[in-house]
Amino acid sequence: MICLVLALLIVMNRMTALQKEVDFVSQHDLEVHDLANQIQKNMLDMETGMRGYVITGDEQYLEPYNQANRSWLDNYNKLHSLLAKNGSQQRTLEEMKPLIINWVSNYGEAAIQQKKAGNIAALNKQFNNHKEEKVMEQLRTQFTSFLTKEKKLTNERINELRQNNTNLKITLYALVVVVTVITLATAFFLSHSIVNTIREVVKTIHSITESKVDLTTRIHVKTKDETRELAEAMNSLLSSLEKQSWIQKSVTEISLIYQGITDVTELSRAFLTKLAPMLEAVYGVVYLRKDQDDDTVYVKAAGYALADDQTAASFRLGEGVIGQAAADKRIFLIDQLPEEHFKMTTGLGASSPRNLLVAPILYDGRVEAVVEFAALQPFQSQHLTLLDVLQDKFGSAITSVLGRMEVERLLGESQVLTEELQTQSEELQAQSEELQMQQDQLQTTNEFLAMEKQSAEQRAVELKKAKDELEEYSRKLQESSQYKSDFLANMSHELRTPLNSIIILSQMLMENDGEMDMDEVKESARVVHTAGGDLLRMIDDILDLSKIEAGKIEILTDEVNVTELPQMLQNMFDPVAAKKNLAFEVVTAPDVPDVIATDGQRLQQILKNLLSNAFKFTEKGSVTVRIELAEPEKTAEYLGTNRREPVLAISVTDTGIGIPHDKQEIIFDAFQQVDGTTNRQYGGTGLGLSICREFTHLLGGALTVESEPGEGSTFTLYIPSRLESEKPELLAREEVAVSLSEPVEQEEVPPLEDTSSDEQIFKGKKVLLVEDDGRNVFALVTALEKKGVAVQVAENGKVAVDMLQEQGDFDLVFMDIMMPVMGGYEAMKLIREELGMHELPIIALTAKGMKGERDKCMDAGASDYIMKPFNINQLFSLMRVWLTEQVESE
Amino acid sequence: MSFEEETETTPLNELEQIEINLLLEGLYQKYGYDFRSYVRTSLSRRIIHRMRAERLPTITALLEKILHDPAYLERLLNDLSIRMTEMYRDPSFFAAFRNEVVPLLRDLPEIRIWHAGCATGEEVYSMAILIQEEGLAEKTKIYATDINEKALRSARKGAFPLEKMQQYTKNYLRAGGKKAFSEYYTTDHQFAYFHPIMEDNLTFAQHNLVTDGSFNEFHVILCRNVMIYFNNDLQQKVHRLLYNSLADGGFVGLGSKESILFMPPGLDYEEFNATERIYQKRK
């Protein structure tokens, strides 16, 4: 190394010297040459300038001359000083100086002066003698020799430089070679030593890699240098990595077990099963946090290698080491446990683990669980690290599994509810559908039945009609035979009377032997005539009547001009009125239609009959005919409702003898007059009113009478116009379909109760047990309270009723039957009837084998019954039924 | 006019009638389910209900789904064949059966009972309990059939919701049940499970009254509130089927609103108990 530095220094020194020499040569020599040339040029300038001036006289040529004249000495001096180290050259230069001065002063200046003076001759002389040229020549020669010499000097110096340079090169090459050799030797030695160690390390690393990352392999180095340190660092890295990798691996393995686990207990068990061997623990237990009301309790969820009774079931926060670990949120590591703390049992014997590890599982700052492990040997740092890492993972797994369990529970619940809703809606639909269908069916049946009924009714009506008709017939038959006999009797009487007079009178006239005078004969003949006329009228009337009754009278409906009626009547009866000295008038109301449709001839006949009667029975006063429109109520009364055509009311009023009230009905019967004597008094067949009434009926009208004996009578004839159909037109009744009320759709879905657990059916329900047998009470109360049911006991029916009266919020009553004071039947009756609790489920407890008890129970109002002795599951089954809120059915 | 705007009560327009016809025809041709002879009003209501539940715009769209997706078929079938039933429905019927019919069955060497259209089986279990109480369980075989497979599955389980059990209890008692009803079931928080009653002699099977024929000769046939969904022709057809499946002197029980007025002529029934719709085939 030192040699190298020395060599380098020498070379450097040499290089500096060489550089200096080169500088000298290049600077000094160049300057020397330059200055020599400068002086030479100055001389040349002076000569040229002098000559130019001399020849031309132009002062311009003097300028270079003067210039050169001024500068040459400077140049000379510079050169002189430069050549200080070179004596021979300096001397040569000094030799040239007087020559120059000589030339300048003797020739140059002189020539110029002479020129200026215009001394051409002198000039010519001067030039002609060539002395000046010789000086100049001499100068040139000297300059040339100077320059030559200087060039030679320069060349010498360059050669010297070359030599020096070559020397230096050789030195350098030698140096390089030496240094290279030394370096190579050193490098080879060093690298050999380093590579070997590194190879070892690399080999070890390779072997680690090849052996699937076996971090247990260590590098073994024999040297004691940095490489060893490297290897040791590597080894410690490996140890750390091994630990890390173990933790990582364990975490991964444990993380894997979380997958697919949906139950937190199962998760805890899997966690323990996996983790315990990793921690080399022989026992393990997991306590999970459970919030009970306001209390936080850690409940044992899973154990590892534990019998169930070996551990405490739960700890409250702060209770025991478990509780304390949860409260402090820190790991408890306990070693050197006393032997009796805990025994590990194997098939062969038992020993005591001496090390205990209690670690809280934190998640989100909350202790989700506490794990406890026991091991035979002390726990190591990586175990703690692993637990530390797992804390969060296990905590989050617990939370997520719990969350998932909750979600699944809710999902299940909602699924159940959805299905229930679905089912109920389907049922509702089916129900309403079936109701609808039943309704339809019922309607069809009803329609069918209605039809049947209708036809039956129709048949009945027809039968009734037929019967009525038959009765009518028989009545009529009877009547008609009566009628006939009456008629015949009457007719024979009526006929006999005039006939009798005719026969007697005619016989008297026949046997007349002159003893009768003419007046008597005339009188007799007049009576016979009258009687014959009466007979004839009577026969006509009888014919009419029989025709009517035989239905042989044809009604010819035609337009009858009502306005013509009064005149016609007046014409007909004015003479009669005048004869009897009676007032007769026909009054027509203004709103009477001009024309009605009816049978005019029959109408006339009726009116004629009525008026004849009126005049016949009236001795003094008046007979009045009124033609007017019938009042609707009268029409309705006599002709039935719904008459739309106009109805005329023609009344004939007289001031005659009148008709007694009891006779007013019979006057229309044939051959009836108010009394037999009247016949004689007033004559007539007694058929007139009968015929009137018959005709009136034929015309669709009615005939009424109002009369007061002694004051007169009023016969009123109601005659409808028969232009339109005779029968009243039925109002086209709109068939109002009976709107069958649609079955009320049960829109409202009954509130869905939470049936997710059995507990919810029983818990918090209030049950009244009415029972006098202490043993039964005890058994039932115990069983029911186990289910979370609140039981109250009444020792007899009386007490039960009182209790129910006081507190009406019982969900269910169990009722014994045979009790003192008040038995079950009576109590149930009271509860149902007196207290009005119809919906409260009452379950009768009956003794088996007592026949009829069931019916008595039901009659008393029990909802259900159960026979003693019963099995408790049956009781619970029954209770589930009666404690479950029912869907409304129908 | 859109279909959604129509209310339940709106009578079907002509187009919808055609669509329903096509749907029923498609259902029959593709799957063999014959609802063509069901009462149209009810069918229409149920089909339209299904159409709306599936959020389909038209019945034709429903048909398209049904022909190509069996899931739709099952839901529609369920809709079409769902029926309402309860245990001891019309308790007086069961009381009459117990008091009047059972004594006549007692002497038979074997009793075969057919529940035609048993739906979810409530009546079947009711009958089974009754038969057991009358001591006839040993020699009685009950056949319960329905068209609806889902209903049958439910019927086989014999589990009925607690929410209805109070009514069933009342019905049972009114129908003259001889024991405490709770002796026949166990419960959990949701259902009452009827003990295996007459398990060996109780058979559930699918049977279509419309298309399937008689499969045995029975002494009692219950076909209650089934035929009200059928049109008159189909009712007559089913009546004939029931009549032909009935032994001489056998009994048929109908729903409380059904009558034999619509029976086809020639079925020789005696009105055994007309109020409870129990008829006896003349010998």
Side-chain angles (χ1 to χ4, degrees):
Chain A
M1 216 53 202
I2 299 160
C3 297
L4 198 67
V5 172
L6 273 175
L8 272 171
L9 278 176
I10 293 165
V11 170
M12 286 294 283
N13 192 28
R14 293 289 300 152
M15 293 270 278
T16 316
L18 201 62
Q19 189 62 43
K20 266 185 191 159
E21 274 173 52
V22 169
D23 284 355
F24 181 75
V25 170
S26 53
Q27 238 171 29
H28 175 264
D29 286 23
L30 274 174
E31 212 165 337
V32 168
H33 278 275
D34 204 31
L35 284 170
N37 281 334
Q38 203 71 43
I39 295 166
Q40 212 171 355
K41 189 175 167 275
N42 287 346
M43 288 311 297
L44 202 64
D45 282 351
M46 274 191 287
E47 193 186 12
T48 319
M50 181 267 290
R51 280 189 185 173
Y53 182 69
V54 168
I55 293 166
T56 63
D58 191 344
E59 295 241 345
Q60 240 182 338
Y61 286 100
L62 280 180
E63 190 62 29
Y65 177 86
N66 291 333
Q67 184 89 28
N69 199 16
R70 280 192 298 273
S71 59
W72 77 268
L73 199 58
D74 275 352
N75 291 331
Y76 172 84
N77 287 336
K78 277 182 193 164
L79 188 60
H80 191 261
S81 63
L82 274 174
L83 295 171
K85 285 179 184 172
N86 195 339
S88 66
Q89 284 286 87
Q90 212 168 19
R91 268 191 309 281
T92 315
L93 196 64
E94 279 163 8
E95 280 169 16
M96 284 184 346
K97 193 179 176 182
L99 281 172
I100 297 167
I101 294 166
N102 178 34
W103 186 85
V104 170
S105 57
N106 291 341
Y107 303 102
E109 285 295 316
I112 291 164
Q113 290 305 320
Q114 279 168 352
K115 178 68 186 181
K116 275 180 182 169
N119 198 348
I120 304 296
L123 272 174
N124 285 341
K125 194 184 151 195
Q126 192 181 333
F127 283 108
N128 283 340
N129 64 20
H130 299 290
K131 277 185 186 167
E132 181 252 338
E133 275 175 49
K134 279 174 194 162
V135 174
M136 213 54 179
E137 193 66 36
Q138 201 180 348
L139 257 174
R140 272 189 201 108
T141 314
Q142 273 182 352
F143 259 109
T144 309
S145 80
F146 175 81
L147 280 170
T148 312
K149 204 172 175 188
E150 192 62 31
K151 206 176 261 178
K152 202 176 130 208
L153 273 173
T154 308
N155 276 338
E156 275 169 15
R157 280 193 203 105
I158 286 167
N159 279 339
E160 199 184 341
L161 270 173
R162 257 187 212 136
Q163 188 59 48
N164 282 350
N165 206 12
T166 313
N167 287 346
L168 188 63
K169 269 186 195 160
I170 292 163
T171 318
L172 265 173
Y173 285 142
L175 251 173
V176 166
V177 168
V178 169
V179 168
T180 309
V181 167
I182 292 169
T183 310
L184 279 175
T186 316
F188 181 75
F189 175 75
L190 281 174
S191 73
H192 188 72
S193 144
I194 292 167
V195 163
N196 266 358
T197 320
I198 288 176
R199 264 194 198 136
E200 182 127 352
V201 174
V202 167
K203 213 174 90 192
T204 316
I205 292 173
H206 266 300
S207 78
I208 291 168
T209 319
E210 274 160 20
S211 63
K212 290 187 182 162
V213 199
D214 179 3
L215 293 174
T216 54
T217 316
R218 291 290 176 269
I219 303 161
H220 301 287
V221 186
K222 288 161 230 116
T223 56
K224 290 192 171 178
D225 54 6
E226 292 88 345
T227 321
R228 185 190 176 81
E229 281 168 30
L230 173 71
E232 274 167 0
M234 189 70 194
N235 280 345
S236 85
L237 177 67
L238 278 173
S239 306
S240 160
L241 271 178
E242 187 188 359
K243 215 190 263 180
Q244 283 286 322
S245 139
W246 178 79
I247 290 168
Q248 202 61 45
K249 207 176 85 193
S250 310
V251 168
T252 314
E253 273 179 36
I254 287 182
S255 297
L256 279 176
I257 61 160
Y258 301 158
Q259 289 171 3
I261 292 185
T262 51
D263 181 80
V264 76
T265 309
E266 201 186 323
L267 175 76
S268 306
R269 190 172 298 122
F271 178 75
L272 275 184
T273 314
K274 206 77 188 175
L275 187 57
M278 285 176 183
L279 302 182
E280 291 162 38
V282 288
Y283 278 119
V285 62
V286 173
Y287 291 88
L288 287 180
R289 188 173 62 83
K290 198 171 198 179
D291 290 322
Q292 283 182 345
D293 305 325
D294 297 335
D295 228 6
T296 302
V297 176
Y298 289 87
V299 180
K300 184 187 158 195
Y304 177 75
L306 278 178
D308 275 347
D309 53 355
Q310 239 173 330
T311 48
S314 68
F315 290 93
R316 274 200 297 283
L317 203 65
E319 180 189 356
V321 177
I322 299 285
Q324 200 54 49
D328 295 356
K329 299 178 182 175
R330 74 179 182 89
I331 293 177
F332 280 70
L333 189 57
I334 302 163
D335 41 16
Q336 310 212 319
L337 278 175
E339 267 188 40
E340 62 271 22
H341 180 75
F342 185 69
K343 282 264 189 280
M344 177 193 91
T345 46
T346 69
L348 294 174
S351 60
S352 298
R354 305 299 291 270
N355 298 283
L356 205 61
L357 176 63
V358 178
I361 299 295
L362 278 161
Y363 184 70
D364 265 358
R366 207 165 56 171
V367 180
E368 290 292 342
V370 181
V371 293
E372 179 178 347
F373 288 103
L376 293 169
Q377 71 286 345
F379 289 102
Q380 286 164 27
S381 70
Q382 66 257 41
H383 294 156
L384 297 182
T385 317
L386 175 63
L387 253 181
D388 205 38
V389 173
L390 280 176
Q391 265 200 351
D392 203 36
K393 302 222 173 225
F394 186 48
S396 86
I398 290 173
T399 318
S400 84
V401 167
L402 279 175
R404 200 158 36 181
M405 280 167 74
E406 181 66 11
V407 166
E408 267 174 27
R409 190 184 67 79
L410 289 175
L411 197 71
E413 225 167 82
S414 97
Q415 187 64 32
V416 168
L417 290 184
T418 311
E419 277 172 16
E420 200 165 305
L421 201 63
Q422 177 69 23
T423 318
Q424 287 192 357
S425 100
E426 274 178 20
E427 275 170 16
L428 275 180
Q429 205 217 333
Q431 209 169 5
S432 83
E433 190 59 51
E434 187 156 320
L435 277 175
Q436 181 71 41
M437 289 317 293
Q438 286 193 342
Q439 193 123 25
D440 287 356
Q441 185 82 19
L442 208 58
Q443 199 188 343
T444 320
T445 316
N446 280 346
E447 278 167 14
F448 184 83
L449 287 175
M451 235 159 64
E452 289 273 276
K453 191 177 161 224
Q454 206 179 355
S455 74
E457 269 172 8
Q458 212 170 336
R459 273 203 295 274
V461 166
E462 276 166 16
L463 277 172
K464 174 94 165 45
K465 213 165 121 191
K467 182 176 162 252
D468 287 354
E469 273 170 13
L470 275 173
E471 275 174 6
E472 183 71 8
Y473 280 140
S474 77
R475 191 177 63 79
K476 275 191 180 158
L477 210 63
Q478 251 181 343
E479 263 179 18
S480 102
S481 64
Q482 177 67 38
Y483 181 81
K484 261 181 192 156
S485 50
D486 284 0
F487 180 78
L488 284 175
N490 278 331
M491 194 173 64
S492 68
H493 174 75
E494 296 299 326
L495 290 173
R496 266 168 211 275
T497 315
L499 270 177
N500 198 37
S501 56
I502 289 170
I503 288 166
I504 292 166
L505 285 174
S506 60
Q507 191 181 3
M508 277 167 65
L509 286 173
M510 197 171 63
E511 292 171 358
N512 182 17
D513 294 329
E515 62 257 39
M516 282 173 82
D517 60 17
M518 211 42 208
D519 288 349
E520 271 179 330
V521 170
K522 269 186 180 172
E523 181 58 26
S524 296
R526 196 190 56 81
V527 170
V528 169
H529 177 77
T530 311
D534 281 350
L535 268 178
L536 185 65
R537 262 203 318 281
M538 202 181 291
I539 288 163
D540 280 348
D541 282 354
I542 288 169
L543 273 176
D544 272 352
L545 205 55
S546 69
K547 270 188 200 161
I548 292 167
E549 287 187 348
K552 287 193 176 159
I553 295 285
E554 274 184 52
I555 297 298
L556 299 165
T557 304
D558 201 358
E559 287 190 354
V560 176
N561 201 333
V562 181
T563 50
E564 287 175 357
L565 265 179
Q567 193 53 50
M568 190 193 76
L569 294 174
Q570 298 266 342
N571 286 345
M572 221 183 282
F573 287 95
D574 271 352
V576 184
K579 194 172 157 193
K580 289 193 80 170
N581 206 11
L582 293 170
F584 175 56
E585 61 173 337
V586 179
V587 181
T588 310
D591 56 350
V592 168
D594 289 349
V595 173
I596 64 161
T598 189
D599 189 327
Q601 202 193 338
R602 303 294 164 200
L603 181 61
Q604 257 183 49
Q605 220 170 334
I606 298 165
L607 290 175
K608 221 162 79 183
N609 267 331
L610 289 176
L611 279 169
S612 301
N613 270 350
F615 280 107
K616 185 157 71 180
F617 295 109
T618 305
E619 297 304 325
K620 56 180 183 188
S622 63
V623 171
T624 311
V625 176
R626 285 195 179 78
I627 305 175
E628 50 199 7
L629 265 181
E631 288 167 22
E633 55 267 31
K634 298 273 185 192
T635 317
E637 190 182 340
Y638 300 120
L639 302 183
T641 47
N642 301 318
R643 286 271 171 184
R644 278 205 265 167
E645 66 274 12
V647 177
L648 281 186
I650 304 170
S651 58
V652 177
T653 309
D654 60 51
T655 51
I657 56 166
I659 306 157
H661 292 288
D662 58 335
K663 302 281 185 186
Q664 283 176 11
E665 273 305 301
I666 61 157
I667 54 168
F668 295 106
D669 291 344
F671 303 112
Q672 292 289 343
Q673 282 187 334
V674 173
D675 94 62
T677 60
T678 52
N679 192 25
R680 307 288 84 74
Q681 193 182 343
Y682 299 102
T685 60
L687 292 172
L689 283 175
S690 294
I691 291 166
C692 281
R693 174 166 275 189
E694 293 305 321
F695 280 160
T696 309
H697 284 161
L698 285 173
L699 294 178
L703 184 59
T704 64
V705 65
E706 280 173 51
S707 184
E708 205 54 46
E711 288 181 13
S713 312
T714 300
F715 287 86
T716 308
L717 173 68
Y718 295 92
I719 289 292
S721 175
R722 290 149 56 100
L723 248 184
E724 292 171 48
S725 162
E726 197 175 348
K727 283 183 182 170
E729 203 178 324
L730 276 173
L731 274 176
R733 274 197 213 168
E734 280 178 40
E735 289 280 325
V736 183
V738 183
S739 61
L740 288 161
S741 56
E742 290 279 319
V744 183
E745 298 237 5
Q746 285 173 299
E747 295 274 333
E748 207 180 315
V749 178
L752 291 171
E753 63 182 307
D754 190 351
T755 52
S756 60
S757 84
D758 202 32
E759 207 177 83
Q760 264 155 313
I761 294 180
F762 290 101
K763 201 159 189 180
K765 292 286 158 60
K766 203 171 159 189
V767 168
L768 177 61
L769 173 61
V770 191
E771 167 76 81
D772 62 333
D773 184 326
R775 294 162 300 174
N776 268 334
V777 169
F778 175 76
L780 281 173
V781 169
T782 313
L784 294 180
E785 278 179 352
K786 217 171 199 172
K787 281 279 184 184
V789 176
V791 192
Q792 296 198 20
V793 180
E795 69 266 26
N796 62 51
K798 180 89 179 55
V799 178
V801 171
D802 290 345
M803 281 173 81
L804 281 169
Q805 203 157 20
E806 272 170 37
Q807 31 185 323
D809 58 345
F810 285 100
D811 295 296
L812 189 73
V813 176
F814 284 113
M815 181 72 70
D816 192 16
I817 296 304
M818 286 171 47
M819 287 177 293
V821 186
M822 186 194 279
Y825 302 133
E826 199 183 340
M828 285 192 280
K829 275 208 174 81
L830 279 176
I831 291 166
R832 294 294 190 219
E833 285 164 27
E834 299 288 299
L835 302 186
M837 293 171 150
H838 298 292
E839 299 303 323
L840 175 70
I842 305 178
I843 313 299
L845 308 172
T846 69
K848 202 168 193 163
M850 298 193 70
K851 227 175 157 143
E853 215 170 55
R854 187 196 83 98
D855 292 338
K856 278 191 207 160
C857 284
M858 295 302 122
D859 291 345
S863 309
D864 202 346
Y865 73 106
I866 186 164
M867 284 176 283
K868 292 194 277 193
F870 43 78
N871 106 16
I872 198 71
N873 284 328
Q874 188 187 347
L875 185 80
F876 286 150
S877 281
L878 178 142
M879 282 179 75
R880 282 192 198 97
V881 166
W882 289 100
L883 290 176
T884 299
E885 205 178 325
Q886 299 292 296
V887 291
E888 291 297 319
S889 63
E890 285 168 63
Chain B
M1 158 169 118
S2 78
F3 288 92
E4 279 82 359
E5 279 166 17
E6 292 195 26
T7 58
E8 294 279 331
T9 49
T10 311
L12 294 179
N13 61 32
E14 202 184 336
L15 186 61
E16 280 176 317
Q17 287 290 6
I18 292 169
E19 288 185 300
I20 286 173
N21 286 344
L22 288 175
L23 184 120
L24 297 180
E25 195 60 39
L27 207 54
Y28 177 62
Q29 290 195 7
K30 177 90 199 285
Y31 299 106
Y33 289 107
D34 194 350
F35 289 99
R36 294 172 300 174
S37 307
Y38 278 48
V39 173
R40 276 303 151 91
T41 50
S42 166
L43 273 184
S44 306
R45 279 195 297 269
R46 290 177 177 213
I47 288 171
I48 285 170
H49 166 82
R50 180 44 46 202
M51 175 191 93
R52 287 186 183 145
E54 303 286 359
R55 301 186 186 287
L56 294 170
T58 61
I59 299 167
T60 312
L62 181 63
L63 171 61
E64 197 260 333
K65 294 282 183 199
I66 281 161
L67 290 180
H68 297 288
D69 188 347
Y72 283 85
L73 172 74
E74 196 176 331
R75 288 198 289 272
L76 179 72
L77 280 184
N78 206 38
D79 274 359
L80 292 184
S81 52
I82 193 165
R83 288 197 299 105
M84 217 18 240
T85 176
E86 58 183 63
M87 293 192 80
Y88 294 99
R89 188 180 194 184
D90 305 314
S92 54
F93 171 88
F94 283 92
F97 189 88
R98 188 194 289 268
N99 298 329
E100 296 169 45
V101 177
V102 166
L104 299 175
L105 299 174
R106 241 175 242 293
D107 295 330
L108 292 171
E110 192 195 14
I111 305 167
R112 284 183 298 273
I113 300 177
W114 178 20
H115 282 266
C118 67
T120 38
E122 279 84 337
E123 279 191 5
V124 182
Y125 288 91
S126 309
M127 180 60 85
I129 290 170
L130 190 154
I131 291 292
Q132 188 165 298
E133 285 183 357
E134 291 304 321
L136 300 174
E138 290 293 301
K139 59 176 180 179
T140 303
K141 279 194 165 61
I142 297 182
Y143 300 84
T145 67
D146 198 85
I147 185 180
N148 189 334
E149 193 66 66
K150 194 180 162 196
L152 279 176
R153 279 201 294 276
S154 171
R156 283 193 189 98
K157 275 197 279 182
F160 305 119
L162 285 185
E163 289 88 338
K164 293 185 170 170
M165 284 301 291
Q166 292 182 16
Q167 181 64 39
Y168 293 178
T169 307
K170 285 176 195 157
N171 286 353
Y172 166 78
L173 294 170
R174 272 188 223 143
K178 286 186 171 171
K179 295 187 174 179
F181 199 39
S182 50
E183 285 179 33
Y184 296 103
Y185 59 77
T186 54
T187 57
D188 62 12
H189 62 281
Q190 258 185 312
F191 293 104
Y193 301 89
F194 281 76
H195 296 297
I197 289 166
M198 292 184 56
E199 205 181 25
D200 293 341
N201 292 330
L202 192 53
T203 310
F204 287 97
Q206 201 197 19
H207 181 273
N208 187 345
L209 283 172
V210 183
T211 51
D212 301 346
S214 172
F215 60 94
N216 208 329
E217 193 181 66
F218 300 96
H219 304 97
V220 175
I221 299 178
L222 296 192
C223 187
R224 307 183 69 220
N225 297 310
V226 176
M227 282 187 270
I228 51 172
Y229 297 100
F230 299 167
N231 71 16
N232 206 17
D233 287 348
L234 186 56
Q235 285 196 14
Q236 300 212 351
K237 186 179 163 192
V238 175
H239 268 306
R240 270 192 285 269
L241 170 66
L242 299 187
Y243 187 80
N244 293 332
S245 305
L246 212 54
D248 287 346
F251 297 90
V252 68
L254 300 177
S256 59
K257 307 292 187 297
E258 295 173 294
S259 79
I260 54 162
L261 289 175
F262 307 109
M263 276 190 191
L267 304 190
D268 199 5
Y269 280 118
E270 195 182 332
E271 280 193 347
F272 185 77
N273 184 333
T275 5
E276 296 307 334
R277 316 286 184 203
I278 301 173
Y279 304 95
Q280 186 177 22
K281 186 178 182 177
R282 274 189 234 270
K283 286 173 190 171

